[in-house]
Amino acid sequence: MSELRRKPRHRHRRRRNALLIGVPAALAAAATLAYGTVFGVFGDDVQTTAQAAAPSWATATADGFASVNSLGQNGTYGGRDGRTVTVRTPAELEKYATAAEPYVIVVAGTINMSPVGKEIKVASDKTIVGAGTAGHIVGGGFFLGNGVHNVIIRNLTIRDSYQGVWNDKDHDFDAIQMDGAHHVWIDHNDLRHMADGLIDVRKDSTNITVSWNKLSDNNKAFGIGWTQNVVTDITIHHNWIRETEQRNPSTDNAAHAHLYNNFLEDTAGTTIASSYGNYARGKTNMVLENSYFQRFRNPVIRDSTATLVQRGNVFSGTSGRNESGGGSGFDPKRYYGYRLDNASDVPALLRSGAGPRTSIGTTTRAAAATTLTVAKDGSGQYSTVQAAVNAVPANNPSRVVIAVKPGTYRETVKVPSNKPHVTIQGTGGSRKDTVIVHDNAAGTPRPDGSGTYGTSGSATVAVEADDFQARNLTITNDFDERANQGLSGHQAVALRTAADKVFLDSIIVNGDQDTLLLDTAAKDRLGRVYMTNSYVTGNVDFVFGRATAVIDRSVLTLKKRWNGTSAGYITAPSTAADRKGFLINRSTVNGDVSAASFYLGRNWHAGGDASLRPQTTVRNSTLSAAIKSTPWSDMGGFSWKNDRFAEYRNTGPGAGSASTDRPQLTDAQATGQEVTDWLGDWTPTAS
């Protein structure tokens, strides 16, 4: 391992045929992946499609207050009366979003805003929708100005305009900001890590519905008001708000605020702590129903001038103010129909259903995932795995499976960051039948004479794309240490991941030193990995990096060094202080090595960074006699005792009782160190 690594009152008219609103139809289909776009994954780069063939998401209409007829606008339906266009660049997005005519605008990849903080000024009659989970707006957002109306923003990830100041008062870089807009529907988005607020509903904006979104990793989540006029009508339902400090939301002088079936979660063990939850300020009239508050401080508060009626809510582990009163509220069903989910069901419902869906922004023209076949004998479409990866189009919106026939493929493979949703899958009867192998080490010279590969560059398989999956195969680095004693740099990575939502299922990862590098795309980026039913072999720091990773129901096999000695370290986490590190859960440590010769891990402060807090937790696992009775070690002059290392209910001859040299979690502490605490809003699903 080397040191790289790292937003005059109007009259309401109730709609004649108001429907009971529950889970949107799109959500019911979310479990069925949509493959390809209206153009086909590998089809021509066509810019527009015929409106006659528009899928249901392109003609979807809002529920809640956004569905109420007022101000000359009958409900909210966005750009359904216009053409559908697909955009991939900032210029294309701005061209259609600011146009006078209606459009359904499909964002089919990652769009980086320049300068950072730029907010595109959206015009009326627009639907802006992400293509499956591929639509990302990075470093900027959207602005809806005075009089802008009939706008839908759906299924997008809007993220990362953060400027390094938590309570940032200098950069008004919101994900979505409204100043005097009306009839707006914000639905199924993932909004996070922005410089100011995630959603701002300001200056008499009204007839707003915010539904099925994930709001996270931000100081200010959601602000409503900033006016003395009591005008705003807003519905907020089925949103997952987590790891946010304030404005969850803060609702100021809203005429009618209907909040229901939201999940507010303050996750234990992070640096982000809630200040308050739902806040009714000024002359707000709020009805709060069937929401779930977990660990939130001051979950529900109101000013003495506000009206707040709450019913059917669940409060778990909350503290501080929990208030209601000021009047009898209002009946939302005077304005629109809706259906409540049970509050107890809300956490699970939103963990699986909030945020972007693969079924929105794409079509189901293809019956199954796009599959590319690889075979060494020429019987497939490609003879190398990398050739198949190269054939995946940039910013592919949906799953591409690379099916690799049995054989040994001596090559290096890289899945670049602009090719998400890729699965590499062996098709043999065993994971041993399909092998991808190479032998680069950190000190191996590059063929072009540009130096050596370095640790991260030595990887046989390198994954830089989000939502990657691998299954039923073996990935090996067979660098021969014995034969290369004169080479400086014996770190030899088999698999490197530097992405989020990486699912490794039923694979073998073989190597010696630095076998499995679980990294992130950047120091401030989340990179989650879930490995299950798999094997990892190695001897020195052979699971290492700064990712938030779970190794579950797997086997870690210890190997002797090249010279026959038994000594080493399993993990070397380099975790940021506000992230989770490595969790080894329900797994087995074994190997033909000497007793008491291996550490469970050591604390890697990459680059000597004292702000890091490396973390490994080993729990409910079976440890062989090879594990030392003092299983944690210092590294680089940093004491492991100042970082985060612990065990819980391990068994086997290598397990031990609690001591100052062997920290054990209490039962209460262990409840905050489960797999779901590591993975958060992501549920790994084979696809």
Side-chain angles (χ1 to χ4, degrees):
M1 181 175 57
S2 59
E3 299 295 337
L4 61 239
R5 358 158 335 194
R6 349 189 248 244
K7 179 209 32 181
R9 192 138 179 69
H10 53 272
R11 181 187 303 267
H12 296 293
R13 290 175 288 168
R14 183 177 179 181
R15 301 183 72 184
R16 289 184 178 180
N17 297 310
L19 298 175
L20 291 179
I21 304 299
V23 178
L27 181 60
T32 303
L33 293 176
Y35 301 100
T37 66
V38 285
F39 317 122
V41 170
F42 299 99
D44 296 331
D45 186 17
V46 181
Q47 181 62 49
T48 64
T49 60
Q51 182 64 31
S56 60
W57 52 261
T59 59
T61 61
D63 60 359
F65 273 116
S67 71
V68 174
N69 302 340
S70 66
L71 298 175
Q73 176 65 37
N74 295 337
T76 302
Y77 49 85
R80 71 177 185 190
D81 294 335
R83 293 186 299 156
T84 297
V85 298
T86 297
V87 301
R88 297 176 177 85
T89 69
E92 291 173 341
L93 176 58
E94 187 163 23
K95 172 184 175 181
Y96 291 106
T98 61
E101 57 266 42
Y103 281 104
V104 174
I105 305 165
V106 180
V107 180
T110 298
I111 292 179
N112 293 285
M113 303 296 282
S114 182
V116 172
K118 179 174 180 177
E119 295 177 359
I120 290 178
K121 296 181 178 179
V122 182
S124 301
D125 305 318
K126 301 292 182 294
T127 296
I128 306 175
V129 58
T133 59
H136 287 234
I137 309 297
V138 179
F142 298 105
F143 177 84
L144 283 63
N146 188 44
V148 170
H149 59 279
N150 192 30
V151 173
I152 297 173
I153 299 175
R154 297 188 79 195
N155 216 53
L156 289 165
T157 297
I158 307 177
R159 58 179 171 86
D160 295 336
S161 69
Y162 184 66
Q163 297 297 292
V165 177
W166 182 242
N167 191 2
D168 197 334
K169 299 183 183 299
D170 295 325
H171 300 96
D172 189 15
F173 298 169
D174 301 318
I176 302 172
Q177 180 172 310
M178 290 168 256
D179 281 8
H182 66 95
H183 288 87
V184 179
W185 183 26
I186 301 171
D187 178 70
H188 275 107
N189 300 289
D190 181 348
L191 312 176
R192 50 184 156 93
H193 208 226
M194 303 297 282
D196 188 39
L198 298 176
I199 303 176
D200 271 3
V201 180
R202 315 192 314 173
K203 299 182 179 179
D204 300 345
S205 293
T206 192
N207 293 99
I208 314 296
T209 297
V210 180
S211 58
W212 295 97
N213 300 284
K214 295 193 294 188
L215 288 76
S216 67
D217 192 15
N218 224 67
N219 179 25
K220 305 166 187 173
F222 190 171
I224 304 164
W226 288 271
T227 177
Q228 296 302 308
N229 302 320
V230 184
V231 169
T232 299
D233 289 344
I234 186 166
T235 304
I236 303 166
H237 73 87
H238 291 94
N239 298 281
W240 185 8
I241 303 174
R242 64 184 299 269
E243 295 309 287
T244 55
E245 184 174 337
Q246 55 179 315
R247 300 184 185 173
N248 293 301
S250 172
T251 309
D252 183 43
N253 286 324
H256 303 94
H258 184 202
L259 284 63
Y260 70 92
N261 285 147
N262 297 297
F263 179 29
L264 278 69
E265 180 183 26
D266 186 335
T267 304
T270 72
T271 60
I272 302 174
S274 55
S275 176
Y276 59 87
N278 297 164
Y279 186 5
R281 302 171 54 184
K283 296 182 180 179
T284 290
N285 191 347
M286 178 183 290
V287 173
L288 169 60
E289 302 180 283
N290 287 34
S291 289
Y292 197 108
F293 299 79
Q294 185 165 302
R295 301 192 189 97
F296 248 71
R297 294 190 295 177
N298 304 307
V300 185
I301 60 178
R302 76 174 186 94
D303 285 354
S304 61
T305 53
T307 298
L308 196 160
V309 174
Q310 59 162 300
R311 49 186 175 249
N313 302 300
V314 171
F315 301 90
S316 175
T318 59
S319 61
R321 297 168 64 183
N322 186 352
E323 301 167 342
S324 60
S328 58
F330 65 98
D331 181 3
K333 290 184 178 179
R334 287 183 51 216
Y335 304 103
Y336 53 84
Y338 68 101
R339 186 184 66 205
L340 292 169
D341 288 303
N342 294 326
S344 59
D345 296 336
V346 163
L349 183 62
L350 294 187
R351 284 191 174 110
S352 63
R357 317 307 300 163
T358 56
S359 54
I360 302 175
T362 60
T363 69
T364 56
R365 289 191 176 183
T370 300
T371 299
L372 308 178
T373 59
V374 178
K376 287 190 68 66
D377 61 6
S379 61
Q381 295 168 279
Y382 307 95
S383 60
T384 68
V385 180
Q386 187 62 56
V389 172
N390 294 343
V392 178
N395 301 312
N396 51 297
S398 55
R399 180 68 51 190
V400 177
V401 175
I402 298 175
V404 187
K405 294 187 177 183
T408 298
Y409 298 80
R410 182 162 286 277
E411 59 175 304
T412 58
V413 178
K414 181 178 179 180
V415 184
S417 61
N418 64 345
K419 297 189 178 186
H421 323 303
V422 167
T423 296
I424 300 179
Q425 178 169 327
T427 64
S430 165
R431 61 193 123 201
K432 296 181 180 180
D433 293 346
T434 304
V435 180
I436 306 173
V437 58
H438 210 269
D439 61 355
N440 288 331
T444 303
R446 294 179 181 271
D448 61 3
S450 62
T452 60
Y453 282 101
T455 300
S456 63
S458 71
T460 300
V461 176
V463 177
E464 298 177 354
D466 291 348
D467 194 23
F468 172 85
Q469 300 188 6
R471 60 177 49 87
N472 196 41
L473 50 81
T474 296
I475 301 170
T476 295
N477 190 317
D478 64 353
F479 171 71
D480 189 340
E481 283 193 84
R482 182 184 295 276
N484 290 277
Q485 283 301 292
L487 194 70
S488 177
H490 286 194
Q491 302 89 342
V493 177
L495 173 61
R496 174 173 71 92
T497 69
D500 191 31
K501 300 181 181 179
V502 175
F503 185 17
L504 309 173
D505 182 12
S506 299
I507 69 172
I508 300 171
V509 187
N510 280 325
D512 289 317
Q513 182 174 355
D514 290 18
T515 305
L516 179 58
L517 172 50
L518 304 176
D519 208 352
T520 68
K523 287 183 178 181
D524 61 347
R525 294 283 299 277
L526 178 63
R528 290 166 293 181
V529 180
Y530 181 69
M531 170 180 271
T532 189
N533 192 31
S534 295
Y535 294 81
V536 187
T537 70
N539 45 45
V540 176
D541 303 331
F542 67 94
V543 180
F544 71 108
R546 64 187 176 210
T548 296
V550 177
I551 298 177
D552 192 23
R553 299 183 184 273
S554 295
V555 177
L556 300 164
T557 298
L558 312 177
K559 295 173 64 175
K560 292 180 180 179
R561 303 299 307 274
W562 66 272
N563 58 4
T565 60
S566 294
Y569 312 84
I570 299 177
T571 67
S574 187
T575 323
D578 61 347
R579 302 286 191 198
K580 298 284 191 182
F582 296 158
L583 174 63
I584 298 174
N585 183 61
R586 301 178 296 183
S587 294
T588 298
V589 175
N590 63 18
D592 184 15
V593 296
S594 301
S597 60
F598 272 75
Y599 292 94
L600 288 175
R602 56 180 175 169
N603 55 334
W604 178 33
H605 286 255
D609 188 347
S611 71
L612 300 177
R613 289 197 66 205
Q615 180 182 32
T616 296
T617 297
V618 183
R619 61 174 296 165
N620 303 104
S621 295
T622 303
L623 309 181
S624 76
I627 300 304
K628 291 176 175 285
S629 60
T630 55
W632 309 108
S633 179
D634 299 339
M635 184 179 185
F638 294 90
S639 171
W640 69 266
K641 292 185 178 181
N642 295 327
D643 293 312
R644 297 176 290 171
F645 293 89
E647 297 176 77
Y648 179 70
R649 293 193 176 184
N650 293 318
T651 59
S657 56
S659 71
T660 56
D661 292 321
R662 193 156 198 173
Q664 304 283 330
L665 300 176
T666 65
D667 290 346
Q669 289 171 330
T671 61
Q673 297 204 30
E674 304 275 5
V675 173
T676 54
D677 297 300
W678 257 251
L679 303 185
D681 59 351
W682 174 44
T683 302
T685 305
S687 58

